[in-house]
Amino acid sequence: MKKLLQSLFVLVFIAFTAVAQERTITGVVTSQVDGLPIPGVSVRIKGSPGGIVTSSNGKYSLTVNSKSTGLEFSYVGFISQTVSLTNTNVINVSLQSSSRDLDELVVVGYGTQKKGSLTGAQGSVSSSDIQNTPILNPQQGLQGRVAGVQVTQASGTPGGGISINIRGASSISGSNQPLYVIDGIPVNTGSYTQVGAGGQLTNSLGDISPSDIESMEILKDAAATAIYGSRGANGVVLINTKRGLNQNTKIGVNVYSGIQEVAKTLPTLTGPEYIQLMNDAVNARYGGTANYSDSRIGGGVRSANPNDYPTTNWQDLIFETAPITNYEINARGGNDKTKFAISSSFFDQKGVVIGSGYKRFSGRLNLDNQATDKLKLTLSTSFSSSVNNRLNNDNNINGTVSGAFLLGSHVPAYNANGTYGRDAISSVDNPLAGANENTFKFYSNRLLASGGAEYKFTPELTFKSQASVDYFTSKDRTFLSTLTNAGSGSGGSATEGQNQEVNYIFDNTLNYAKVFGGIHSVNLLAGFSYQESNYENILASATGFPGNDIRRLSAGSVRTTATSGGTSNALESYFARANYSYKGKYIFQASGRLDGSSRFGSEKRYGFFPAVSGAWRMSEESFLKNVKAISDLKIRASYGIVGNQEIGNFTSLPLVGGGSNYLQNPGLAPTQLGNVNLTWENTAALDLGLDLGLFNNRLTLNVDVYQKKTSDLLLGKPLVGSSGFTTIQSNLGKTENKGLEVALTGVIFNKKDFSWTTNFNISLNKNKIVELSGNPFAAGFASWVEAGQSLGAFRGYRVLGIFQSAAEIAASPVQAVTASPLTSTAPGDIKFADLNGDGVINSLDQEIIGKGVPTYQGGFTNNFKYKNFDLSVFLQYQGGNQIYSNTRSFGEGMNSVFGQLATTLDRWTPTNTNTTVPRAVYQDPNNNRRVSDRFLEDGDFLRIKNVSLSYNFGPKVLNALKVSAIKLYASAQNLYTFTNYSGLDPEVSTFSVTNTAPGTDFLTYPQARTYTFGLNLTF
Amino acid sequence: MNLDMRTYIKYKYLTYLFAASAVFSSCKKELEAQKPQASLDAAGAFTNVASVRAGLFGVYNSLQSGNYYGLQYNAFAELGGGNLIHVGTFPTYAQIANNQILTDNVNISDMYNTIYNGINNANTMIAAVPNITDAALDKDATLAELRTLRGLMYFDLLRYFGGSNDGYGKANGVGVSLKLTPTLTESDATPIARNTEAQVYTQILADLDFAIAAPTFANRITNRAGKDVANAIKARVQLYREQWAEAEALATTVIGSARYSLLTTANYGNIWAAKNSAESIFELDYNSADQNSIAFYYYTTAAGGRNEISSSNALNTAHEANDVRQAINFTTVAPLSKTRKFTRIATGDDNVILFRLAEMYLIRAEARVRQGSAQKIADGLADLNVIRVRAGLTPLVSVSQAAVLTAILAERRIELAHEGHRWFDLRRFNLTSTLGISQAYRALYPIPQREVLTSGNIIAQNTGY
């Protein structure tokens, strides 16, 4: 059949050419790396369309005629090669791998550059790095792969928020997220939901199907990002999607399916143990015979007998094993005129917490057409549509994960009559109610489209113009059922919101590249860009529904909210870059961008962002050229000024806002003080780098040290509240990030049947708030923003131990003293440190106790290949950070009616004195629960992020099945995490994407452990 | 054909270039064209009658905030005063319930900032009104309404943050910063050192007297401040200042206007069940499109609330037998231990009564008794008995001045329960120690720590904190 097919190709070919004097050329295409034959290599006659591909053993056979001059061999990941035809009929070709090649073109801002001539710091992730891993969005693909890029998945919430900091966080109130540019389109990112869930946000970049990604380039230093000017300070992620190839159409079908489960649960008290704790706590507070039945903790009649209560393991009820599936079909092909890539995928993930899930459909079409010798047209379009079933969580008494911990285990899941069990004296809802009864959906649709034209005036001078649109629209739809606490009071409550953001981008660049006399290589770029973003939203809600069956606003009897809004911004930019290389040895680059933004104050509307950089490729020097071991040695330096314009729209204007209504009359009130000098945040970035390649680049090392000094931070300069305003937006404050990045790759073994490659990266970042306008301030639950400290520092009291006797309390600094011993410090309470030594424990006795951002982090990948098997093991790690467990602050608080963790069994009692857990006392008069190092834990972890084993079927099977490649794989994501952290997951941020309060855990949806099986088929 | 095609493309391309250059030149305009869509430029926002009226309602909107009358201002006076207990989850509420307020208590900070925000809104409008030339605006009446509200807001600040450890109107009482001009720019926001309590009263009285004297300032619907409201506020101010005769006279003015009447014993609950009853002098309006969370904070979760606060047993047991108010102040039907004064949990539109006739009787009762003569004590007792009888209780018979005062305080606790008086009454009677407070300075709430720090101590913290 294969032969028949080939013959068919040949026949067709003959039919097209229809010229006499034919002959057949045969040969084998092998890889220069390992000498093995490469199947699927595209072989065609130079200047002709069509062509064939090599068979599974790398062989080809092609008929040529007398006009044919040469054969072209091309294959992904290898450098294309053209061989001139001679008299011989056998042409064997050895293709050179492109992956490590210094002549390889890499994508940079507004263009491409030869890897060897880069002067900036930039890392990259290719599609092969992330294949076989069930990642849900582009950001996850960056995690642990590139030095200096810290990716924090805030929670396991399907479709939930994810934070990326490149070389540390520099902004306090603006955004610290990088600029994402997809196929040249700077896209809208962040969360678009208008309905809060307690902590977790949504991630609009989840609309990008990871399987469409060809590569991601991460621009880190000013040399690389200054071309993006006022948006370059947080780094830039350039995402390039798969484009068509000059090959016969190849159809790929990729499917994976698997299950997800929670890796860990936390033991809680049983129902009877909980009641016993409550009896102890109430008695400690009210004395006498007071116990859980006491009316002072809430009305109604309750038994205080522990044996009257059941035990409900809420975690067993809310966590489930959930399926995850992804289907993708793609086709890539084309000829020398027109190339295309189309793909379509469907992703379906149920959450490991009941009631949650995420589905995404996406499609893409990328087209390239060489209209004339000089004019090339490109089109990149993608559409995606997703549905997110959300849940309340984190800081939310109606949450599912939160309810599972905050509601005591003494409450039955269901009452005898089938209604949800509840605790009459607790405000926490049954965690099953919200998950089962509510509607909480977030729909998003996104169209990314860009059309471009490239015109070569001369081989050196190219003009490129691209017009793009990023159209994002989302819809929130919620209904709080009358069967839940949140909906029962209002007779059902529905909220529907819709918003859209449309970005128009118009980019024009002129590029001149020429090598003079083989010595002076010049690459010049000048460009103009205009971008406008328009956001609109509408939100309406109603209460009072006729039951829970009709959930649309039209059925609500009380219309409570009807609001809409709109905002916009525009950015006008001029930019240029000049790159000069002398003999490929000495490379200089200068770039600059002038940005005018509607966001800036009228006096500071335009900002200029320059960068200069240089590199010395010492390996090209005569004194190193003969050192065989050193294949590449380059040192780099760059310095530049980049900005952050993510300061919000119209923050510079003095405003009077509507909506301050009264008596159904319209009301107006001042809302914002103006600042005509308001402008971008400014970052001066210095980078020194070293690239070393040894043994024909079998071992490569990249080292960068950097320093980023950010000034003019956008901060609400505090005003006295008695002025009527609390802040005025100003450019104040300074931060600094310093760091070291090391990336090491190596081919450890490279034998015919066995190869082992490894990739290790580590980055260290030290963040410091250098200057802060006004007072230090608290953020989150335990975070603290203060000059001299790291952004994301924790502040609180220090625990010395537990008071064992009244005498010890009397001899210690005063904590809580009232007229009654029942509301005063007692044995079993925590002894806090009197840090200022004034004999009283008060707010002055707090200090910085840790930080939520890691000191070091990175990843370690090992790929093994044995015959047809591939094994990839990817480890991710971070350390030096702490986690503030607000979960424990509640779960070990023993001060209220909340469910308690099993750790409280070790609470202090007169007979259990050797413990670190204080006594149980209702209302906690000593405030044992205050923010202290008691709830602070080390956040270091090493995670086996992914292990995947794949098998590539050999020629026998392929021939039998008549396909060109089959790969089967099994993969485990988040397989195991080594950590001392006691909570569900050490990679956590209850505040989703946050600058000031990272590393806080409060009843956050944990990440799942995922096992998937996949099949990749190529026809 | 190929050639034609190329030529065509070239021309198309040139056209494209021209189009591009046209776009270049229009970009600058586009930067300027981006304007806020839901806000006005502050300059020139209040230059016509419609916007000034909207600005006036904007001041009422400040009163409605959950940080102010929309919940916390009144609830904290009840929570700190022992009429409410804290059964919910907010640690900052617990501080108030335990009378152990920290200077960084965010609810206290929010309350302080919200009231001053309302004052700035009023200041902005008071400055804007004189510039309106359109005769459609009654400038005097508008100013009178604005100044009445400003007077109320300054008084409300004093009640929590000012005075002395042993009450109000004493020598050396501390006040709050008096800011009477709008904050339009950063330089207007310079910290102002706290004025004395007496200075703040002088300003409050100037505002109220302006309103009372404004000829065209009439009474309006119950939901807006009119002349009676100005008199009622002033009556309360004078009571706090211990200007007994003044307080008596002002209460008499309101009572004597005969525009308000006490609801009957049987209809007592209708003061809240029905909105804007005959008894109400000034009632803050809420409706389904403009809600508050008061019932939500009270109600149990089973009833759809967040169960943050409950009526205390102490309040319950303070009632005499057969008092119709007991069932209103301490519910015995679900939701238990709450109040019938705030019940509209589904629609969030319980009105908040700021002044009602019963308080005027109680003000006059106390003002009369405090004046000490036998006649005044008897007259005061008569006022007290109006309230007692209406509540279904027997009248008190003549007893000593001290005993009547104690009875009045007890009556105020029951009659005005959940309405934000208890803490201030205990302060006025210098009885905060009965709450178990051993540190007398806690009678005054702390000035928010943020305010003290931001001002560089120009705005001084209350003693003790």
Side-chain angles (χ1 to χ4, degrees):
Chain A
M1 182 67 191
K2 184 89 189 177
K3 279 236 167 79
L4 192 74
L5 218 63
Q6 273 182 15
S7 318
L8 199 70
F9 276 124
V10 172
L11 275 174
V12 170
F13 191 71
I14 292 167
F16 271 115
T17 49
V19 173
Q21 275 202 320
E22 292 168 344
R23 59 182 173 133
T24 301
I25 311 281
T26 58
V28 181
V29 183
T30 53
S31 162
Q32 212 177 53
V33 181
D34 50 15
L36 295 174
I38 316 173
V41 176
S42 163
V43 188
R44 65 190 186 105
I45 298 161
K46 195 179 171 189
S48 303
I52 61 156
V53 293
T54 54
S55 67
S56 54
N57 49 14
K59 288 184 177 167
Y60 73 96
S61 169
L62 197 63
T63 307
V64 300
N65 61 44
S66 54
K67 288 184 181 170
S68 309
T69 58
L71 290 184
E72 290 179 347
F73 299 85
S74 59
Y75 190 62
V76 189
F78 289 84
I79 297 165
S80 297
Q81 202 172 328
T82 305
V83 180
S84 299
L85 289 174
T86 56
N87 290 331
T88 174
N89 286 339
V90 177
I91 300 178
N92 293 327
V93 172
S94 178
L95 289 182
Q96 199 181 354
S97 166
S98 64
S99 59
R100 298 275 172 258
D101 195 271
L102 299 168
D103 285 333
E104 180 196 353
L105 288 179
V106 293
V107 179
V108 298
Y110 298 100
T112 54
Q113 276 184 9
K114 282 182 184 170
K115 196 167 186 174
S117 69
L118 284 182
T119 56
Q122 120 174 38
S124 81
V125 172
S126 78
S127 55
S128 61
D129 293 328
I130 53 176
Q131 65 178 352
N132 302 357
T133 62
I135 59 165
L136 322 178
N137 52 53
Q139 294 116 306
Q140 284 183 345
L142 296 173
Q143 193 166 35
R145 306 282 183 186
V146 181
V149 181
Q150 200 212 339
V151 180
T152 307
Q153 172 90 38
S155 77
T157 312
I162 190 162
S163 169
I164 295 199
N165 287 158
I166 296 176
R167 295 188 163 179
S170 55
S171 183
I172 295 174
S173 69
S175 168
N176 276 322
Q177 303 305 307
L179 174 71
Y180 291 90
V181 180
I182 300 176
D183 294 327
I185 316 172
V187 296
N188 296 317
T189 55
S191 176
Y192 279 87
T193 180
Q194 301 184 73
V195 181
Q200 300 306 324
L201 302 172
T202 59
N203 173 22
S204 61
L205 267 190
D207 292 329
I208 310 302
S209 173
S211 49
D212 282 346
I213 296 172
E214 176 79 40
S215 73
M216 291 189 276
E217 296 292 331
I218 298 88
L219 315 185
K220 299 192 282 195
D221 71 345
T225 69
I227 198 86
Y228 289 100
S230 66
R231 296 173 295 173
N234 299 330
V236 180
V237 178
L238 303 175
I239 298 176
N240 303 292
T241 60
K242 290 173 180 162
R243 305 203 72 85
L245 295 169
N246 189 349
Q247 66 180 20
N248 288 326
T249 302
K250 275 192 184 172
I251 296 172
V253 177
N254 302 320
V255 181
Y256 70 77
S257 185
I259 54 158
Q260 312 158 86
E261 60 181 21
V262 284
K264 187 177 179 185
T265 56
L266 302 182
T268 54
L269 294 183
T270 65
E273 286 167 351
Y274 173 81
I275 299 300
Q276 187 54 52
L277 182 142
M278 287 304 293
N279 284 337
D280 290 358
V282 174
N283 189 264
R285 171 64 184 81
Y286 295 111
T289 58
N291 61 21
Y292 185 56
S293 65
D294 197 281
S295 69
R296 283 170 287 193
I297 66 167
V301 177
R302 288 179 300 280
S303 164
N305 181 353
N307 298 324
D308 289 346
Y309 291 88
T311 295
T312 303
N313 188 332
W314 292 111
Q315 291 171 76
D316 283 355
L317 297 174
I318 64 145
F319 290 134
E320 63 180 2
T321 300
I324 181 170
T325 315
N326 189 55
Y327 307 92
E328 192 219 345
I329 180 156
N330 63 58
R332 295 168 85 179
N335 52 35
D336 58 346
K337 287 271 186 221
T338 302
K339 302 177 187 101
F340 73 94
I342 46 179
S343 73
S344 172
S345 71
F346 177 68
F347 173 73
D348 187 358
Q349 181 191 18
K350 284 258 191 301
V352 290
V353 178
I354 55 166
S356 61
Y358 180 77
K359 282 182 199 181
R360 175 185 62 217
F361 165 80
S362 64
R364 171 170 289 277
L365 167 64
N366 286 351
L367 270 179
D368 299 282
N369 175 256
Q370 195 72 45
T372 70
D373 289 347
K374 296 188 166 180
L375 181 64
K376 184 182 169 189
L377 302 172
T378 59
L379 175 75
S380 312
T381 56
S382 73
F383 176 78
S384 70
S385 179
S386 69
V387 187
N388 190 343
N389 280 317
R390 303 177 68 202
L391 286 176
N392 284 311
N393 267 321
D394 297 276
N395 190 8
N396 192 323
I397 53 174
N398 299 314
T400 305
V401 178
S402 33
F405 289 97
L406 294 181
L407 191 62
S409 50
H410 65 297
V411 178
Y414 296 94
N415 298 318
N417 62 5
T419 56
Y420 290 103
R422 291 199 169 89
D423 184 348
I425 58 169
S426 170
S427 50
V428 177
D429 199 3
N430 184 315
L432 305 176
N436 290 343
E437 305 298 337
N438 291 339
T439 301
F440 198 163
K441 285 183 184 294
F442 178 74
Y443 302 87
S444 77
N445 293 297
R446 183 176 215 151
L447 176 73
L448 272 177
S450 132
E454 207 178 303
Y455 190 80
K456 271 192 190 308
F457 290 102
T458 68
E460 295 84 21
L461 186 65
T462 311
F463 178 80
K464 193 174 169 187
S465 185
Q466 178 171 308
S468 318
V469 63
D470 175 6
Y471 176 77
F472 182 89
T473 176
S474 73
K475 157 110 203 195
D476 284 291
R477 185 155 78 80
T478 66
F479 179 82
L480 305 176
S481 160
T482 57
L483 300 176
T484 67
N485 282 347
S488 65
S490 53
S493 167
T495 298
E496 298 199 27
Q498 192 132 23
N499 55 22
Q500 67 168 38
E501 180 142 20
V502 188
N503 268 18
Y504 303 100
I505 305 105
F506 183 44
D507 286 336
N508 298 277
T509 54
L510 196 59
N511 193 299
Y512 180 80
K514 193 173 164 86
V515 181
F516 295 94
I519 298 171
H520 308 281
S521 169
V522 173
N523 194 329
L524 304 172
L525 172 87
F528 161 79
S529 172
Y530 176 73
Q531 175 169 349
E532 192 178 315
S533 162
N534 289 290
Y535 172 83
E536 306 227 334
N537 74 308
I538 184 162
L539 188 75
S541 52
T543 58
F545 281 80
N548 294 313
D549 295 332
I550 308 181
R551 300 188 160 204
R552 291 295 190 166
L553 296 176
S554 54
S557 58
V558 183
R559 309 293 161 86
T560 50
T561 307
T563 181
S564 76
T567 185
S568 62
N569 69 74
L571 187 68
E572 172 203 356
S573 316
Y574 307 87
F575 50 88
R577 178 173 57 214
N579 184 295
Y580 168 76
S581 157
Y582 177 75
K583 286 183 171 171
K585 272 192 242 176
Y586 312 107
I587 308 156
F588 302 96
Q589 182 175 293
S591 66
R593 182 172 179 125
L594 181 73
D595 268 341
S597 171
S598 65
R599 285 177 166 165
F600 305 155
S602 56
E603 300 296 314
K604 289 277 180 73
R605 190 132 275 177
Y606 290 86
F608 182 62
F609 304 90
V612 290
S613 53
W616 177 23
R617 281 186 67 191
M618 297 165 76
S619 51
E620 297 295 304
E621 296 286 357
S622 51
F623 58 86
L624 279 181
K625 230 169 180 166
N626 297 325
V627 181
K628 273 264 160 85
I630 298 175
S631 38
D632 181 37
L633 176 60
K634 179 163 83 172
I635 55 171
R636 292 177 277 112
S638 78
Y639 181 77
I641 310 288
V642 280
N644 182 3
Q645 68 133 5
E646 295 305 314
I647 62 175
N649 300 334
F650 309 120
T651 36
S652 71
L653 302 178
L655 297 178
V656 165
S660 308
N661 306 340
Y662 182 65
L663 265 178
Q664 305 197 336
N665 287 300
L668 288 171
T671 52
Q672 180 174 289
L673 288 177
N675 181 352
V676 292
N677 291 312
L678 199 72
T679 190
W680 59 91
E681 298 181 346
N682 218 33
T683 295
L686 175 69
D687 180 277
L688 299 172
L690 171 101
D691 300 327
L692 175 66
L694 296 175
F695 317 118
N696 200 20
N697 286 331
R698 194 164 160 176
L699 192 65
T700 66
L701 171 73
N702 307 89
V703 181
D704 277 272
V705 289
Y706 62 87
Q707 181 186 48
K708 281 166 64 179
K709 289 187 164 189
T710 305
S711 57
D712 291 342
L713 286 184
L714 180 87
L715 284 172
K717 180 180 176 186
L719 301 177
V720 286
S722 45
S723 67
F725 293 90
T726 52
T727 56
I728 179 168
Q729 293 301 320
S730 308
N731 293 102
L732 300 158
K734 292 176 180 161
T735 53
E736 187 183 83
N737 285 282
K738 284 190 281 202
L740 170 69
E741 296 165 356
V742 179
L744 195 62
T745 62
V747 180
I748 295 172
F749 274 102
N750 193 8
K751 295 280 161 7
K752 190 172 175 237
D753 278 343
F754 178 68
S755 70
W756 174 12
T757 60
T758 187
N759 180 329
F760 172 80
N761 73 75
I762 183 166
S763 42
L764 289 82
N765 186 65
K766 190 169 168 19
N767 172 282
K768 192 167 112 180
I769 301 168
V770 176
E771 197 179 301
L772 188 69
S773 71
N775 314 311
F777 60 92
F781 296 116
S783 305
W784 187 253
V785 181
E786 183 176 345
Q789 302 298 335
S790 168
L791 197 53
F794 293 117
R795 179 174 182 264
Y797 296 84
R798 294 271 185 200
V799 171
L800 292 179
I802 295 208
F803 284 120
Q804 299 294 349
S805 67
E808 188 186 354
I809 295 167
S812 302
V814 179
Q815 294 196 176
V817 178
T818 65
S820 163
L822 294 172
T823 50
S824 304
T825 307
D829 280 333
I830 289 181
K831 181 179 182 177
F832 292 101
D834 182 13
L835 296 177
N836 66 353
D838 65 352
V840 182
I841 304 298
N842 58 21
S843 61
L844 302 173
D845 295 306
Q846 298 177 84
E847 64 176 5
I848 300 299
I849 52 177
K851 67 186 174 72
V853 288
T855 309
Y856 62 90
Q857 51 103 13
F860 186 33
T861 311
N862 282 287
N863 294 313
F864 305 91
K865 190 176 176 69
Y866 175 71
K867 290 189 173 167
N868 291 354
F869 287 96
D870 282 292
L871 174 69
S872 166
V873 179
F874 171 37
L875 309 177
Q876 180 218 345
Y877 63 92
Q878 67 175 48
N881 61 307
Q882 280 81 29
I883 297 171
Y884 182 76
S885 174
N886 211 44
T887 304
R888 279 180 54 216
S889 170
F890 277 73
E892 297 177 0
M894 301 180 287
N895 64 313
S896 185
V897 296
F898 297 119
Q900 298 291 297
L901 298 171
T903 44
T904 56
L905 287 172
D906 190 32
R907 65 183 175 275
W908 189 94
T909 63
T911 54
N912 181 37
T913 57
N914 185 18
T915 174
T916 58
V917 184
R919 66 176 179 142
V921 52
Y922 194 75
Q923 289 184 343
D924 191 13
N926 188 55
N927 203 356
N928 293 325
R929 263 192 74 220
R930 69 183 84 192
V931 174
S932 72
D933 51 5
R934 177 183 169 199
F935 302 122
L936 202 68
E937 300 185 33
D938 281 344
D940 305 11
F941 71 84
L942 169 66
R943 175 171 272 172
I944 306 177
K945 189 72 189 173
N946 187 273
V947 176
S948 73
L949 178 67
S950 59
Y951 181 80
N952 292 288
F953 283 88
K956 269 188 185 166
V957 178
L958 297 182
N959 288 339
L961 295 174
K962 301 167 188 74
V963 291
S964 57
I966 305 178
K967 180 165 83 177
L968 273 177
Y969 65 91
S971 152
Q973 184 87 347
N974 298 330
L975 183 61
Y976 190 78
T977 307
F978 301 91
T979 182
N980 288 326
Y981 179 58
S982 70
L984 292 173
D985 191 341
E987 186 183 351
V988 64
S989 173
T990 194
F991 299 106
S992 214
V993 178
T994 171
N995 298 342
T996 53
T1000 301
D1001 185 0
F1002 188 33
L1003 309 165
T1004 305
Y1005 196 130
Q1007 290 192 52
R1009 179 191 290 157
T1010 307
Y1011 302 98
T1012 50
F1013 294 91
L1015 167 70
N1016 295 353
L1017 266 178
T1018 311
F1019 297 98
Chain B
M1 174 176 166
N2 249 352
L3 211 93
D4 284 347
M5 188 68 189
R6 282 189 189 167
T7 321
Y8 168 71
I9 288 170
K10 263 183 187 164
Y11 280 127
K12 192 178 165 189
Y13 190 66
L14 278 174
T15 320
Y16 191 54
L17 263 180
F18 280 120
S21 61
V23 173
F24 283 18
S25 58
S26 69
C27 286
K28 219 165 230 163
K29 274 182 239 150
E30 290 303 319
L31 285 192
E32 309 297 329
Q34 311 301 321
K35 295 284 179 210
Q37 296 163 37
S39 300
L40 300 171
D41 190 333
F46 298 112
T47 49
N48 58 56
V49 179
S51 60
V52 165
R53 284 197 179 129
L56 169 66
F57 290 117
V59 179
Y60 283 99
N61 183 68
S62 311
L63 301 183
Q64 289 182 303
S65 162
N67 297 322
Y68 198 3
Y69 286 126
L71 174 68
Q72 294 181 349
Y73 192 88
N74 287 349
F76 288 176
E78 301 293 322
L79 195 57
N83 281 350
L84 294 178
I85 56 168
H86 181 234
V87 289
T89 61
F90 289 134
T92 47
Y93 275 53
Q95 289 175 15
I96 289 156
N98 298 331
N99 294 304
Q100 293 286 323
I101 301 171
L102 301 176
T103 57
D104 58 358
N105 184 303
V106 67
N107 300 124
I108 301 300
S109 185
D110 287 348
M111 180 200 290
Y112 177 95
N113 291 337
T114 300
I115 297 176
Y116 266 117
N117 179 258
I119 288 170
N120 183 55
N121 293 351
N123 288 339
T124 304
M125 300 319 300
I126 290 167
V129 167
N131 300 325
I132 304 293
T133 50
D134 190 334
L137 184 77
D138 183 339
K139 294 203 274 192
D140 258 9
T142 309
L143 282 175
E145 193 170 349
L146 288 163
R147 292 186 68 173
T148 302
L149 296 174
R150 185 171 71 180
L152 175 67
M153 290 187 279
Y154 268 116
F155 182 46
D156 284 340
L157 283 172
L158 267 191
R159 291 208 287 167
Y160 272 122
F161 302 102
S164 318
N165 292 354
D166 54 349
Y168 300 96
K170 314 287 186 195
N172 304 322
V174 296
V176 295
S177 309
L178 274 176
K179 171 96 166 67
L180 303 170
T181 52
T183 300
L184 302 172
T185 63
E186 186 182 347
S187 58
D188 296 333
T190 313
I192 298 170
R194 291 171 69 183
N195 294 80
T196 64
E197 186 187 6
Q199 286 169 332
V200 180
Y201 282 132
T202 303
Q203 178 56 39
I204 293 167
L205 292 173
D207 278 341
L208 296 175
D209 288 339
F210 173 87
I212 293 165
T216 55
F217 186 44
N219 285 304
R220 297 177 178 275
I221 60 169
T222 316
N223 309 111
R224 284 178 65 179
K227 190 158 284 181
D228 286 343
V229 174
N231 279 315
I233 297 170
K234 194 176 171 190
R236 197 192 279 175
V237 171
Q238 298 296 24
L239 183 79
Y240 276 56
R241 290 182 67 219
E242 307 186 341
Q243 301 299 308
W244 313 119
E246 274 272 347
E248 179 190 354
L250 289 157
T252 299
T253 305
V254 179
I255 295 168
S257 76
R259 277 184 287 272
Y260 313 97
S261 58
L262 293 179
L263 267 57
T264 62
T265 309
N267 288 333
Y268 182 75
N270 282 348
I271 299 171
W272 298 276
K275 294 185 169 196
N276 305 321
S277 74
E279 185 166 333
S280 214
I281 298 167
F282 186 21
E283 187 166 320
L284 206 56
D285 176 77
Y286 289 90
N287 54 64
S288 60
D290 197 358
Q291 304 191 356
N292 65 50
S293 301
I294 303 173
F296 176 73
Y297 269 66
Y298 272 96
Y299 269 36
T300 58
T301 51
R306 70 161 286 132
N307 200 37
E308 194 69 32
I309 46 181
S310 276
S311 299
S312 67
N313 279 335
L315 174 64
N316 191 29
T317 53
H319 290 85
E320 296 171 45
N322 303 320
D323 192 330
V324 297
R325 297 170 299 191
Q326 188 163 15
I328 303 294
N329 290 335
F330 191 95
T331 52
T332 50
V333 290
L336 296 174
S337 318
K338 306 299 182 182
T339 172
R340 300 297 301 162
K341 293 186 178 179
F342 303 105
T343 56
R344 293 171 168 85
I345 185 153
T347 42
D349 65 336
D350 287 299
N351 278 3
V352 176
I353 298 173
L354 304 187
F355 290 87
R356 61 185 172 98
L357 190 60
E359 187 199 349
M360 291 299 122
Y361 276 104
L362 289 168
I363 287 174
R364 193 168 70 177
E366 185 179 340
R368 282 173 165 168
V369 174
R370 295 271 194 185
Q371 290 174 57
S373 71
Q375 183 57 50
K376 289 288 185 191
I377 294 174
D379 291 348
L381 188 62
D383 283 335
L384 173 65
N385 282 331
V386 170
I387 301 305
R388 283 183 59 83
V389 170
R390 196 271 295 263
L393 302 177
T394 53
L396 282 185
V397 291
S398 186
V399 284
S400 70
Q401 184 195 26
V404 181
L405 283 176
T406 304
I408 290 171
L409 179 63
E411 200 61 35
R412 287 180 67 93
R413 178 178 200 179
I414 304 299
E415 179 63 35
L416 302 175
H418 303 286
E419 294 179 57
H421 291 271
R422 183 63 178 164
W423 172 256
F424 309 119
D425 285 345
L426 290 172
R427 283 193 62 190
R428 288 198 302 114
F429 281 76
N430 195 17
L431 290 173
T432 53
S433 59
T434 60
L435 296 166
I437 297 174
S438 53
Q439 296 144 315
Y441 67 85
R442 293 197 179 271
L444 280 74
Y445 275 13
I447 297 287
Q449 183 180 41
R450 180 188 181 284
E451 186 79 350
V452 175
L453 292 175
T454 305
S455 73
N457 288 310
I458 290 172
I459 297 172
Q461 183 54 275
N462 280 325
T463 311
Y465 287 100

